[in-house]
Amino acid sequence: MSERCAECGGVLPVGRTCQHIFDECLALELTDHAFGKVHMLTVACFMIQHGRYSEEALSWIGPQVQDHLNGVPARYLRQRAASAVANTKHPVKILRDAGAEPQPRVDWSVTIVDVVPFLQDADAYCEQIERWARATVHEMKAIS
Ligand SMILES: [Zn+2]
């Protein structure tokens, strides 16, 4: 019987977890620019769907992913993040505390598991990551 990821609900391929798949994606993205184009989306969607962001980071990241999908380059988003942090009076917490209440459950329609069939082809991969990101931004409205 197939196992589901306890965090995002994705139906896992035998012997793999979302973390394994994420690590594979990062290896591709960091070594091949054709895959690396969507790096910001991969990291953000994985973090969102696995409840890794603090409340504050979660409400900030959704609009950034949307802007990136609309064509705003990742380097502008990084500048925006840096100035948001510089202009905040309190220390900014990106990651959810280990003891914090878990993020509310979402039935994501697309997860990182859906990217697995596309790991061999950069164009198809990028298209699939963008599909994942569009679904994630839309469906995260319930929790951010
Ligand atoms: Zn998962």
Side-chain angles (χ1 to χ4, degrees), residues 44-62:
C45 291
F46 180 80
M47 298 277 286
I48 293 165
Q49 293 198 348
H50 292 84
R52 305 284 171 89
Y53 284 128
S54 68
E55 297 296 331
E56 189 180 4
L58 190 64
S59 56
W60 188 83
I61 195 73

mmCIF file of all heavy atoms in Angstrom, residues 44-62:
data_model
loop_
_atom_site.group_PDB
_atom_site.id
_atom_site.type_symbol
_atom_site.label_atom_id
_atom_site.label_comp_id
_atom_site.label_asym_id
_atom_site.label_seq_id
_atom_site.Cartn_x
_atom_site.Cartn_y
_atom_site.Cartn_z
ATOM 1 N N ALA A 44 10.166 27.497 -1.942
ATOM 2 C CA ALA A 44 8.999 28.095 -1.274
ATOM 3 C C ALA A 44 7.861 27.079 -1.157
ATOM 4 O O ALA A 44 7.275 26.926 -0.083
ATOM 5 C CB ALA A 44 8.535 29.335 -2.039
ATOM 6 N N CYS A 45 7.558 26.363 -2.237
ATOM 7 C CA CYS A 45 6.427 25.419 -2.198
ATOM 8 C C CYS A 45 6.693 24.269 -1.231
ATOM 9 O O CYS A 45 5.796 23.850 -0.503
ATOM 10 C CB CYS A 45 6.138 24.867 -3.587
ATOM 11 S SG CYS A 45 5.488 26.115 -4.682
ATOM 12 N N PHE A 46 7.921 23.775 -1.232
ATOM 13 C CA PHE A 46 8.248 22.685 -0.301
ATOM 14 C C PHE A 46 8.066 23.165 1.147
ATOM 15 O O PHE A 46 7.454 22.483 1.975
ATOM 16 C CB PHE A 46 9.685 22.197 -0.527
ATOM 17 C CG PHE A 46 10.071 21.081 0.407
ATOM 18 C CD1 PHE A 46 9.670 19.781 0.155
ATOM 19 C CD2 PHE A 46 10.815 21.344 1.553
ATOM 20 C CE1 PHE A 46 10.011 18.740 1.027
ATOM 21 C CE2 PHE A 46 11.156 20.318 2.428
ATOM 22 C CZ PHE A 46 10.747 19.015 2.163
ATOM 23 N N MET A 47 8.589 24.348 1.433
ATOM 24 C CA MET A 47 8.508 24.902 2.795
ATOM 25 C C MET A 47 7.050 25.166 3.197
ATOM 26 O O MET A 47 6.641 24.861 4.317
ATOM 27 C CB MET A 47 9.298 26.214 2.863
ATOM 28 C CG MET A 47 10.775 26.071 2.585
ATOM 29 S SD MET A 47 11.728 25.547 4.018
ATOM 30 C CE MET A 47 11.734 27.071 4.977
ATOM 31 N N ILE A 48 6.270 25.729 2.265
ATOM 32 C CA ILE A 48 4.859 26.031 2.547
ATOM 33 C C ILE A 48 4.096 24.740 2.836
ATOM 34 O O ILE A 48 3.396 24.621 3.840
ATOM 35 C CB ILE A 48 4.195 26.772 1.360
ATOM 36 C CG1 ILE A 48 4.787 28.170 1.181
ATOM 37 C CG2 ILE A 48 2.670 26.840 1.556
ATOM 38 C CD1 ILE A 48 4.467 28.824 -0.173
ATOM 39 N N GLN A 49 4.256 23.761 1.957
ATOM 40 C CA GLN A 49 3.441 22.547 2.089
ATOM 41 C C GLN A 49 3.888 21.646 3.239
ATOM 42 O O GLN A 49 3.143 20.760 3.644
ATOM 43 C CB GLN A 49 3.442 21.758 0.769
ATOM 44 C CG GLN A 49 2.717 22.498 -0.354
ATOM 45 C CD GLN A 49 2.344 21.585 -1.499
ATOM 46 O OE1 GLN A 49 2.787 20.456 -1.599
ATOM 47 N NE2 GLN A 49 1.523 22.105 -2.399
ATOM 48 N N HIS A 50 5.098 21.872 3.741
ATOM 49 C CA HIS A 50 5.564 21.060 4.863
ATOM 50 C C HIS A 50 5.583 21.830 6.167
ATOM 51 O O HIS A 50 6.242 21.419 7.133
ATOM 52 C CB HIS A 50 6.916 20.415 4.519
ATOM 53 C CG HIS A 50 6.758 19.388 3.436
ATOM 54 N ND1 HIS A 50 6.745 19.710 2.110
ATOM 55 C CD2 HIS A 50 6.505 18.054 3.507
ATOM 56 C CE1 HIS A 50 6.512 18.623 1.394
ATOM 57 N NE2 HIS A 50 6.364 17.604 2.212
ATOM 58 N N GLY A 51 4.855 22.940 6.207
ATOM 59 C CA GLY A 51 4.651 23.665 7.466
ATOM 60 C C GLY A 51 5.923 24.191 8.102
ATOM 61 O O GLY A 51 6.018 24.273 9.321
ATOM 62 N N ARG A 52 6.901 24.562 7.269
ATOM 63 C CA ARG A 52 8.193 24.975 7.818
ATOM 64 C C ARG A 52 8.264 26.468 8.141
ATOM 65 O O ARG A 52 9.115 26.894 8.920
ATOM 66 C CB ARG A 52 9.326 24.642 6.841
ATOM 67 C CG ARG A 52 9.379 23.191 6.408
ATOM 68 C CD ARG A 52 9.949 22.285 7.483
ATOM 69 N NE ARG A 52 9.796 20.886 7.134
ATOM 70 C CZ ARG A 52 10.696 20.191 6.427
ATOM 71 N NH1 ARG A 52 11.798 20.760 6.017
ATOM 72 N NH2 ARG A 52 10.475 18.927 6.149
ATOM 73 N N TYR A 53 7.412 27.274 7.514
ATOM 74 C CA TYR A 53 7.509 28.727 7.709
ATOM 75 C C TYR A 53 6.771 29.178 8.968
ATOM 76 O O TYR A 53 5.726 28.635 9.335
ATOM 77 C CB TYR A 53 6.890 29.467 6.518
ATOM 78 C CG TYR A 53 7.724 29.500 5.265
ATOM 79 C CD1 TYR A 53 7.192 29.094 4.056
ATOM 80 C CD2 TYR A 53 9.033 29.982 5.273
ATOM 81 C CE1 TYR A 53 7.932 29.148 2.874
ATOM 82 C CE2 TYR A 53 9.784 30.037 4.095
ATOM 83 C CZ TYR A 53 9.233 29.619 2.902
ATOM 84 O OH TYR A 53 9.965 29.679 1.752
ATOM 85 N N SER A 54 7.300 30.241 9.596
ATOM 86 C CA SER A 54 6.578 30.918 10.675
ATOM 87 C C SER A 54 5.334 31.569 10.066
ATOM 88 O O SER A 54 5.259 31.744 8.842
ATOM 89 C CB SER A 54 7.470 31.988 11.296
ATOM 90 O OG SER A 54 7.694 33.031 10.358
ATOM 91 N N GLU A 55 4.393 31.966 10.916
ATOM 92 C CA GLU A 55 3.184 32.656 10.422
ATOM 93 C C GLU A 55 3.565 33.881 9.598
ATOM 94 O O GLU A 55 2.998 34.156 8.543
ATOM 95 C CB GLU A 55 2.317 33.136 11.607
ATOM 96 C CG GLU A 55 1.773 32.035 12.493
ATOM 97 C CD GLU A 55 0.802 31.117 11.763
ATOM 98 O OE1 GLU A 55 0.139 31.579 10.827
ATOM 99 O OE2 GLU A 55 0.738 29.928 12.136
ATOM 100 N N GLU A 56 4.531 34.612 10.146
ATOM 101 C CA GLU A 56 4.964 35.858 9.509
ATOM 102 C C GLU A 56 5.561 35.592 8.120
ATOM 103 O O GLU A 56 5.224 36.265 7.135
ATOM 104 C CB GLU A 56 6.029 36.488 10.417
ATOM 105 C CG GLU A 56 6.445 37.875 10.046
ATOM 106 C CD GLU A 56 7.524 38.402 11.018
ATOM 107 O OE1 GLU A 56 7.976 37.652 11.909
ATOM 108 O OE2 GLU A 56 7.901 39.564 10.855
ATOM 109 N N ALA A 57 6.431 34.593 8.047
ATOM 110 C CA ALA A 57 7.062 34.250 6.763
ATOM 111 C C ALA A 57 6.026 33.705 5.785
ATOM 112 O O ALA A 57 6.066 34.000 4.596
ATOM 113 C CB ALA A 57 8.179 33.237 6.983
ATOM 114 N N LEU A 58 5.072 32.945 6.308
ATOM 115 C CA LEU A 58 4.043 32.337 5.460
ATOM 116 C C LEU A 58 3.192 33.421 4.783
ATOM 117 O O LEU A 58 2.894 33.333 3.602
ATOM 118 C CB LEU A 58 3.164 31.420 6.310
ATOM 119 C CG LEU A 58 2.193 30.516 5.563
ATOM 120 C CD1 LEU A 58 2.938 29.511 4.694
ATOM 121 C CD2 LEU A 58 1.281 29.789 6.543
ATOM 122 N N SER A 59 2.836 34.456 5.548
ATOM 123 C CA SER A 59 1.990 35.475 4.925
ATOM 124 C C SER A 59 2.796 36.357 3.972
ATOM 125 O O SER A 59 2.243 36.981 3.077
ATOM 126 C CB SER A 59 1.247 36.307 5.970
ATOM 127 O OG SER A 59 2.158 36.877 6.845
ATOM 128 N N TRP A 60 4.105 36.385 4.135
ATOM 129 C CA TRP A 60 4.960 37.169 3.235
ATOM 130 C C TRP A 60 5.244 36.402 1.940
ATOM 131 O O TRP A 60 5.255 36.979 0.853
ATOM 132 C CB TRP A 60 6.286 37.490 3.947
ATOM 133 C CG TRP A 60 7.146 38.451 3.185
ATOM 134 C CD1 TRP A 60 7.047 39.816 3.173
ATOM 135 C CD2 TRP A 60 8.231 38.120 2.307
ATOM 136 N NE1 TRP A 60 7.995 40.346 2.336
ATOM 137 C CE2 TRP A 60 8.737 39.339 1.790
ATOM 138 C CE3 TRP A 60 8.816 36.916 1.898
ATOM 139 C CZ2 TRP A 60 9.804 39.381 0.895
ATOM 140 C CZ3 TRP A 60 9.882 36.966 0.997
ATOM 141 C CH2 TRP A 60 10.365 38.192 0.517
ATOM 142 N N ILE A 61 5.445 35.106 2.033
ATOM 143 C CA ILE A 61 5.955 34.348 0.885
ATOM 144 C C ILE A 61 4.913 34.153 -0.221
ATOM 145 O O ILE A 61 5.269 34.143 -1.408
ATOM 146 C CB ILE A 61 6.547 32.978 1.333
ATOM 147 C CG1 ILE A 61 7.413 32.346 0.236
ATOM 148 C CG2 ILE A 61 5.465 31.995 1.761
ATOM 149 C CD1 ILE A 61 8.739 32.993 0.004
ATOM 150 N N GLY A 62 3.635 34.040 0.141
ATOM 151 C CA GLY A 62 2.602 33.807 -0.876
ATOM 152 C C GLY A 62 2.628 34.846 -1.992
ATOM 153 O O GLY A 62 2.751 34.498 -3.179
#
